Amino acid sequence: MTCARPPWWSGLLTGAAIPVAVLAAWEIAARVGLLNAYLLPAPMTVLRAGVELARSGELARDVWASVQRVLIGFAAGVLTAVPVAVAVVRWRSLERLLRFPLNFLRATPPLALLPLLVLWFGIGETAKWVVILLASFFPILLNTIAGLRSVPPHLLEMARTLDLTPLERVRFVTVPSALPIFVAGLRLAFGNCWRALVGAELIATSVGLGFLIMDAQAIARIDVVYAGILVIGTLGFLADRAFLLLTQGGGDAQD
């Protein structure tokens, strides 16, 4: 007799227990005066600020601008990192040639390159996309390389024995073996994109969640700062859940 698998949303309910408890304790502490209302406004105050932003249409505008930047930067990261990873695995001499520049760039925070990116690409959207691309590039690159090199040798030997064509080897052997590690790299890279978003939106812009947070800080609207932070965190969480549902199926996305 097998036990029925719990629905995918049961994991979300379990994971929400601690955040709900923290928010409740935060609200109570704020109401009884244990917290500085300016430095740490009560959750209901933050919620009212978020509702105000939503009603004005400002929040939707900023969310849409930020989501576009994340998706474009992430897509660019995939389209650049995967071919480089395949080439590095295919030609070991290329790996030796690229080892130093790739390791140098990997150790350099994308935000440290902001002044150069502005000089090279100007203050438009391209510089912002490049910051997000750099944040996603190396997790995809390294995990793709690891995935391609994780293919069991006996499966490759079996493919040769069965006289599979190169395309069939990729389809039936390489891709299924490398896919779990590759997907883990995509998930990590997508999270990095959200973390790089605020820094990317420091580049001359008047729209986006990063701009919303920095503008609110400049005018001492700390409740709006918290609202913006919570929106970014919530969007990142929901995007990660959606990513798991798309890549693993609803029944498996419970971690």
Side-chain angles (χ1 to χ4, degrees), residues 26-27 41-54 59 223-224 226-227 230:
W26 178 4
E27 180 71 30
M44 289 305 298
T45 303
V46 174
L47 178 61
R48 283 193 292 271
V51 171
E52 177 186 331
L53 290 171
L59 184 61
D223 52 345
V224 175
Y226 278 96
L230 290 174

Side-chain angles (χ1 to χ4, degrees), residues 154-174:
H154 71 274
L155 292 181
L156 295 175
E157 182 62 32
M158 184 182 299
R160 284 189 288 269
T161 302
L162 295 173
D163 200 24
L164 298 182
T165 66
L167 184 59
E168 289 173 334
R169 292 180 198 174
V170 171
R171 178 182 176 185
F172 297 113
V173 178
T174 304

Side-chain angles (χ1 to χ4, degrees), residues 185-209:
L186 292 180
R187 185 182 177 190
L188 178 61
F190 203 57
N192 282 356
C193 289
W194 287 102
R195 284 191 285 273
L197 175 67
V198 174
E201 291 181 338
L202 291 175
I203 305 171
T205 185
S206 60
V207 64
L209 292 170

Side-chain angles (χ1 to χ4, degrees), residues 45-123:
T45 303
V46 174
L47 178 61
R48 283 193 292 271
V51 171
E52 177 186 331
L53 290 171
R55 286 177 175 172
S56 69
E58 183 180 353
L59 184 61
R61 182 196 64 185
D62 290 332
V63 167
W64 176 236
S66 294
V67 167
Q68 286 185 87
R69 289 167 182 151
V70 167
L71 292 178
I72 292 173
F74 177 71
V78 174
L79 293 176
T80 54
V82 171
V84 173
V86 172
V88 164
V89 172
R90 177 67 178 82
W91 295 289
R92 291 300 180 99
S93 58
L94 181 63
E95 179 184 18
R96 292 191 292 269
L97 181 66
L98 295 178
R99 182 175 299 159
F100 174 76
L102 288 178
N103 284 333
F104 178 84
L105 284 175
R106 185 164 62 93
T108 304
L111 296 184
L113 300 174
L114 271 179
L116 291 178
L117 295 178
V118 171
L119 287 175
W120 294 343
F121 301 108
I123 60 175

